[in-house]
PDB file of all heavy atoms in Angstrom:
ATOM      1  N   ASP A 126      -5.863   1.142  28.786  1.00 98.00           N
ATOM      2  CA  ASP A 126      -7.250   1.098  28.318  1.00 98.00           C
ATOM      3  C   ASP A 126      -7.581   2.353  27.511  1.00 98.00           C
ATOM      4  O   ASP A 126      -8.192   2.283  26.435  1.00 98.00           O
ATOM      5  CB  ASP A 126      -8.167   0.980  29.542  1.00 98.00           C
ATOM      6  CG  ASP A 126      -9.624   0.735  29.170  1.00 98.00           C
ATOM      7  OD1 ASP A 126      -9.875  -0.050  28.235  1.00 98.00           O
ATOM      8  OD2 ASP A 126     -10.501   1.317  29.823  1.00 98.00           O
ATOM      9  N   GLU A 246      -4.447  20.801  28.760  1.00 96.00           N
ATOM     10  CA  GLU A 246      -5.124  21.941  29.385  1.00 96.00           C
ATOM     11  C   GLU A 246      -4.082  22.936  29.905  1.00 96.00           C
ATOM     12  O   GLU A 246      -3.191  22.564  30.659  1.00 96.00           O
ATOM     13  CB  GLU A 246      -5.974  21.410  30.561  1.00 96.00           C
ATOM     14  CG  GLU A 246      -6.694  22.506  31.307  1.00 96.00           C
ATOM     15  CD  GLU A 246      -7.460  21.971  32.513  1.00 96.00           C
ATOM     16  OE1 GLU A 246      -7.660  20.743  32.618  1.00 96.00           O
ATOM     17  OE2 GLU A 246      -7.836  22.802  33.361  1.00 96.00           O
ATOM     18  N   ARG A 315       9.959   4.063  52.840  1.00 98.00           N
ATOM     19  CA  ARG A 315       8.825   3.869  53.747  1.00 98.00           C
ATOM     20  C   ARG A 315       7.550   3.550  52.963  1.00 98.00           C
ATOM     21  O   ARG A 315       6.751   2.712  53.394  1.00 98.00           O
ATOM     22  CB  ARG A 315       8.624   5.117  54.611  1.00 98.00           C
ATOM     23  CG  ARG A 315       9.586   5.175  55.794  1.00 98.00           C
ATOM     24  CD  ARG A 315       9.406   3.964  56.691  1.00 98.00           C
ATOM     25  NE  ARG A 315       9.940   4.206  58.025  1.00 98.00           N
ATOM     26  CZ  ARG A 315       9.422   3.696  59.137  1.00 98.00           C
ATOM     27  NH1 ARG A 315       8.371   2.889  59.084  1.00 98.00           N
ATOM     28  NH2 ARG A 315       9.966   3.948  60.303  1.00 98.00           N
ATOM     29  N   ARG A 327       4.175 -13.319  51.856  1.00 97.00           N
ATOM     30  CA  ARG A 327       3.827 -14.477  51.031  1.00 97.00           C
ATOM     31  C   ARG A 327       5.035 -15.274  50.575  1.00 97.00           C
ATOM     32  O   ARG A 327       4.983 -16.498  50.483  1.00 97.00           O
ATOM     33  CB  ARG A 327       3.122 -14.000  49.754  1.00 97.00           C
ATOM     34  CG  ARG A 327       1.678 -13.718  49.891  1.00 97.00           C
ATOM     35  CD  ARG A 327       0.871 -15.014  49.891  1.00 97.00           C
ATOM     36  NE  ARG A 327      -0.542 -14.679  50.072  1.00 97.00           N
ATOM     37  CZ  ARG A 327      -1.399 -15.473  50.672  1.00 97.00           C
ATOM     38  NH1 ARG A 327      -1.012 -16.641  51.151  1.00 97.00           N
ATOM     39  NH2 ARG A 327      -2.653 -15.106  50.805  1.00 97.00           N
ATOM     40  N   ASP A 356       6.899  16.889  54.980  1.00 97.00           N
ATOM     41  CA  ASP A 356       6.739  18.341  55.138  1.00 97.00           C
ATOM     42  C   ASP A 356       7.749  19.087  54.269  1.00 97.00           C
ATOM     43  O   ASP A 356       7.407  20.103  53.644  1.00 97.00           O
ATOM     44  CB  ASP A 356       6.893  18.732  56.611  1.00 97.00           C
ATOM     45  CG  ASP A 356       5.727  18.227  57.451  1.00 97.00           C
ATOM     46  OD1 ASP A 356       4.735  17.755  56.864  1.00 97.00           O
ATOM     47  OD2 ASP A 356       5.805  18.300  58.689  1.00 97.00           O
TER      48      ASP A 356
ATOM     49  N   ASP B 242      -4.405  -9.798  50.224  1.00 98.00           N
ATOM     50  CA  ASP B 242      -3.359 -10.824  50.172  1.00 98.00           C
ATOM     51  C   ASP B 242      -2.659 -10.947  51.522  1.00 98.00           C
ATOM     52  O   ASP B 242      -2.433 -12.060  52.027  1.00 98.00           O
ATOM     53  CB  ASP B 242      -2.357 -10.429  49.075  1.00 98.00           C
ATOM     54  CG  ASP B 242      -1.315 -11.508  48.805  1.00 98.00           C
ATOM     55  OD1 ASP B 242      -1.695 -12.702  48.755  1.00 98.00           O
ATOM     56  OD2 ASP B 242      -0.132 -11.170  48.634  1.00 98.00           O
ATOM     57  N   GLU B 362       3.828   0.546  64.874  1.00 96.00           N
ATOM     58  CA  GLU B 362       5.099   1.242  65.130  1.00 96.00           C
ATOM     59  C   GLU B 362       4.814   2.600  65.758  1.00 96.00           C
ATOM     60  O   GLU B 362       4.055   3.394  65.205  1.00 96.00           O
ATOM     61  CB  GLU B 362       5.833   1.437  63.796  1.00 96.00           C
ATOM     62  CG  GLU B 362       7.147   2.164  63.936  1.00 96.00           C
ATOM     63  CD  GLU B 362       7.824   2.413  62.592  1.00 96.00           C
ATOM     64  OE1 GLU B 362       7.422   1.790  61.581  1.00 96.00           O
ATOM     65  OE2 GLU B 362       8.747   3.245  62.560  1.00 96.00           O
ATOM     66  N   ARG B 431     -10.771  16.729  40.505  1.00 98.00           N
ATOM     67  CA  ARG B 431      -9.693  16.749  39.510  1.00 98.00           C
ATOM     68  C   ARG B 431      -8.949  15.411  39.483  1.00 98.00           C
ATOM     69  O   ARG B 431      -8.567  14.931  38.411  1.00 98.00           O
ATOM     70  CB  ARG B 431      -8.723  17.893  39.815  1.00 98.00           C
ATOM     71  CG  ARG B 431      -9.230  19.240  39.335  1.00 98.00           C
ATOM     72  CD  ARG B 431      -9.426  19.220  37.823  1.00 98.00           C
ATOM     73  NE  ARG B 431      -9.442  20.562  37.262  1.00 98.00           N
ATOM     74  CZ  ARG B 431      -8.983  20.857  36.048  1.00 98.00           C
ATOM     75  NH1 ARG B 431      -8.482  19.918  35.267  1.00 98.00           N
ATOM     76  NH2 ARG B 431      -9.053  22.092  35.591  1.00 98.00           N
ATOM     77  N   ARG B 443     -14.424   4.712  27.150  1.00 97.00           N
ATOM     78  CA  ARG B 443     -14.873   3.370  26.770  1.00 97.00           C
ATOM     79  C   ARG B 443     -16.385   3.213  26.757  1.00 97.00           C
ATOM     80  O   ARG B 443     -16.935   2.514  25.923  1.00 97.00           O
ATOM     81  CB  ARG B 443     -14.337   2.347  27.782  1.00 97.00           C
ATOM     82  CG  ARG B 443     -12.947   1.878  27.548  1.00 97.00           C
ATOM     83  CD  ARG B 443     -12.892   0.854  26.434  1.00 97.00           C
ATOM     84  NE  ARG B 443     -11.510   0.450  26.214  1.00 97.00           N
ATOM     85  CZ  ARG B 443     -11.028   0.114  25.032  1.00 97.00           C
ATOM     86  NH1 ARG B 443     -11.793   0.123  23.972  1.00 97.00           N
ATOM     87  NH2 ARG B 443      -9.774  -0.248  24.909  1.00 97.00           N
ATOM     88  N   ARG B 544      -0.309  13.048  62.231  1.00 98.00           N
ATOM     89  CA  ARG B 544       0.098  12.008  61.283  1.00 98.00           C
ATOM     90  C   ARG B 544       1.088  11.036  61.902  1.00 98.00           C
ATOM     91  O   ARG B 544       2.029  11.441  62.587  1.00 98.00           O
ATOM     92  CB  ARG B 544       0.755  12.650  60.055  1.00 98.00           C
ATOM     93  CG  ARG B 544      -0.212  13.121  59.007  1.00 98.00           C
ATOM     94  CD  ARG B 544       0.529  13.831  57.899  1.00 98.00           C
ATOM     95  NE  ARG B 544       1.264  14.979  58.431  1.00 98.00           N
ATOM     96  CZ  ARG B 544       2.161  15.673  57.729  1.00 98.00           C
ATOM     97  NH1 ARG B 544       2.461  15.343  56.502  1.00 98.00           N
ATOM     98  NH2 ARG B 544       2.758  16.716  58.277  1.00 98.00           N
TER      99      ARG B 544
END
Side-chain angles (χ1 to χ4, degrees):
Chain A
D126 188 41
E246 179 183 345
R315 280 300 200 146
R327 278 282 178 210
D356 291 350
Chain B
D242 187 42
E362 179 183 345
R431 280 299 200 147
R443 277 282 178 213
R544 276 176 301 170

